[in-house]
Amino acid sequence: MLGQLVDAAMGYTAFSSSFQPITMNYITVGSFIMITNWVPMVCLYLEKKKRQKIQESKRIEEQSLGIKAIFESPFLTKAFLKVTLDNWCVEPTLFAMAVEKYVHYPEEQLLGQAKVIYKRFIEKGAELEINIDHQIYLSIHTSIEKGTVTRNLFNPALKDVFSQLEGVLMKWKKQPSYQRIIEEYEEESLREKIEMFDLSSTDSKK
């Protein structure tokens, strides 16, 4: 529409000089009226876009996942691992991933796997040593020395680690990559639900 107004103005200027003042006044007034009518429309459009952006931000915030939920999903864990790599704090993430596997081992394998995690992440001078409270360290050390380990052995250390990673997660939530990952996660979850529904439907038909 603005382009048409410009073309019209250019065409009217070609009139004779005797009509030019009147014509130009008409075009100027006409253009002014058109632009005046456009202003509320533009304002409404911008306001609508602003509201949409606010609503999208709120949606993302409502769907924001905590650290614990991140490690409950292999898809999100992998994405968060890259984030911690970029932020030079990958050790806590690798420890959390190791503990997530540890709790699913058979009872007879717990002590052996606990020793592996201890050597890798908790022992003083360990290759991937994590920063945990000294009392928590002593408790884990003593349990492994006595051979009295449980599936909950690393829970206090995990809680310590999660509190450290919360800051990294909050920083990530402010970046565009977080929204993209959450959208991909939602799509992946939807596909899994559809596949499960298809399988259950097939089984029921049998």
Side-chain angles (χ1 to χ4, degrees), residues 15 66 77 103 113:
F15 278 99
T77 300
V103 298
Q113 293 301 323

Side-chain angles (χ1 to χ4, degrees), residues 8-183:
M10 292 293 291
Y12 276 111
T13 54
F15 278 99
S16 61
S17 58
S18 60
F19 292 97
Q20 191 170 0
I22 299 173
T23 305
M24 286 305 296
N25 287 339
Y26 171 78
I27 292 299
T28 303
V29 172
S31 301
F32 176 77
I33 292 171
M34 290 295 294
I35 292 171
T36 303
N37 291 336
W38 269 56
V39 169
M41 295 173 61
V42 172
C43 290
L44 286 172
Y45 172 78
L46 293 175
E47 185 63 27
K48 182 180 178 181
K49 295 296 288 184
K50 183 180 179 181
R51 285 199 304 269
Q52 287 176 346
K53 189 173 182 179
I54 292 172
Q55 289 172 356
E56 182 66 13
S57 299
K58 286 182 178 178
R59 185 187 70 82
I60 294 169
E61 188 62 31
E62 288 171 357
Q63 294 178 348
S64 290
L65 301 173
I67 279 291
K68 188 177 179 181
I70 292 289
F71 288 101
E72 289 173 351
S73 163
F75 179 84
L76 293 176
T77 300
K78 184 178 178 181
F80 190 66
L81 178 62
K82 184 180 184 306
V83 173
T84 54
L85 274 168
D86 294 340
N87 285 271
W88 300 92
C89 56
V90 71
E91 293 87 355
T93 302
L94 292 174
F95 170 72
M97 293 170 68
V99 173
E100 177 64 25
K101 290 182 179 179
Y102 168 80
V103 298
H104 293 101
Y105 279 106
E107 195 73 29
E108 62 273 14
Q109 296 183 26
L110 288 181
L111 180 58
Q113 293 301 323
K115 288 180 178 179
V116 171
I117 293 175
Y118 175 81
K119 288 281 186 182
R120 188 171 295 170
F121 298 101
I122 296 174
E123 188 177 48
K124 299 301 180 183
E127 181 184 1
L128 299 170
E129 185 179 357
I130 57 173
N131 181 26
I132 57 174
D133 183 81
H134 185 64
Q135 292 302 317
I136 295 175
Y137 162 77
L138 288 177
S139 176
I140 295 172
H141 176 80
T142 302
S143 295
I144 290 177
E145 284 289 308
K146 292 181 177 180
T148 55
V149 302
T150 64
R151 296 187 191 280
N152 298 327
L153 174 66
F154 298 107
N155 281 11
L158 199 60
K159 185 177 179 180
D160 232 13
V161 161
F162 281 171
S163 65
Q164 296 168 28
L165 291 174
E166 278 291 348
V168 181
L169 179 58
M170 292 303 295
K171 181 180 176 182
W172 183 34
K173 286 178 178 180
K174 296 177 182 178
Q175 299 175 1
S177 60
Y178 176 77
Q179 180 181 348
R180 186 178 68 251
I181 289 296
I182 291 299
E183 289 173 353

